[in-house]
Amino acid sequence: MLKTLFRRKLSDEQLANVFVNAMLDCVDKGFDEVVELIKEDPAFVTVPDLENYSDGHFTMIVIVANLSFLGDHFDPQQCADLENLIKEKFADIFGMSKDVFDTHLNNYKKFMARVNHPSKNMHYAMSKGMFHKYQLNEYQDGYFKKMKCPNPLFLKRMDEVMDSFVWNWDAFFKRYKMVG
């Protein structure tokens, strides 16, 4: 009971560390499961061949989406500061400069916005991003394949799966309080 009364205080630096580590852990533990769910999805007439794909696209899709939600939970200045810290940490982990990581991240943002147009719902952008980055169109029935768009039933199921990879800010703020 006392844990609910006293929330642990975190600095922006600590939150950035927790966020980055949680995102990477989530991707590491979840990618293989997502691949299996895609392979078993009844929307595909043949089983998607995802053996030669790494979790790189998935990782970037999850990062872009989660960074896009920061503004919903922090004031603009703290959001900018947090995003900067998070980007620096990811760049360091991926062995690149922050500028190179920023460029990579912006390319994914643009890609996700394009494949999700006209919708601005980031949850949908995650699913559509997965569909296109993992070239799943070739495994669909002729109708959707010819249209070059995902089967809506697949997207609905994928939206639910991808929602598992979105940071739960409500649960976070029940345990932690930001300082500074």
Side-chain angles (χ1 to χ4, degrees):
M1 178 164 140
L2 290 178
K3 280 189 177 183
T4 60
L5 295 176
F6 301 104
R7 295 182 297 169
R8 184 171 170 216
K9 295 179 182 179
L10 290 181
S11 66
D12 286 357
E13 180 75 28
Q14 290 170 315
L15 172 56
N17 282 330
V18 169
F19 184 88
V20 167
N21 289 327
M23 288 296 106
L24 293 175
D25 186 54
C26 181
V27 166
D28 286 345
K29 291 180 179 174
F31 180 68
D32 289 337
E33 193 172 325
V34 171
V35 166
E36 287 308 310
L37 290 170
I38 291 171
K39 288 168 128 181
E40 295 170 3
D41 197 288
F44 300 113
V45 293
T46 57
V47 176
D49 180 13
L50 300 174
E51 300 308 315
N52 295 324
Y53 286 99
S54 71
D55 65 1
H57 295 306
F58 180 64
T59 301
M60 289 306 296
I61 288 167
V62 169
I63 292 170
V64 166
N66 280 285
L67 286 176
S68 78
F69 295 127
L70 284 179
D72 297 342
H73 303 282
F74 298 95
D75 66 62
Q77 185 57 54
Q78 189 175 22
C79 181
D81 293 344
L82 273 172
E83 189 169 325
N84 193 44
L85 284 169
I86 290 167
K87 287 177 181 180
E88 286 174 3
K89 291 180 184 311
F90 275 125
D92 188 47
I93 288 168
F94 296 139
M96 58 183 73
S97 72
K98 183 179 170 290
D99 289 339
V100 170
F101 181 73
D102 257 340
T103 300
H104 197 54
L105 194 69
N106 286 330
N107 289 339
Y108 267 85
K109 280 184 200 175
K110 289 175 189 172
F111 162 76
M112 290 169 69
R114 184 173 40 84
V115 298
N116 195 37
H117 183 77
S119 174
K120 297 198 185 309
N121 184 316
M122 184 53 75
H123 293 273
Y124 300 161
M126 292 173 76
S127 299
K128 289 178 182 173
M130 289 292 291
F131 177 82
H132 290 286
K133 284 294 184 181
Y134 288 95
Q135 301 176 357
L136 299 175
N137 189 54
E138 67 183 270
Y139 304 103
Q140 298 190 101
D141 68 39
Y143 177 76
F144 291 108
K145 189 177 194 175
K146 186 176 179 181
M147 289 179 40
K148 296 182 181 175
C149 72
N151 181 321
L153 296 174
F154 167 74
L155 281 182
K156 183 175 167 78
R157 288 186 287 270
M158 198 64 182
D159 289 344
E160 292 171 10
V161 169
M162 295 308 288
D163 196 44
S164 302
F165 296 93
V166 174
W167 184 274
N168 185 340
W169 287 106
D170 293 334
F172 174 80
F173 286 124
K174 285 180 183 174
R175 290 188 61 188
Y176 300 99
K177 180 179 182 177
M178 298 304 298
V179 295

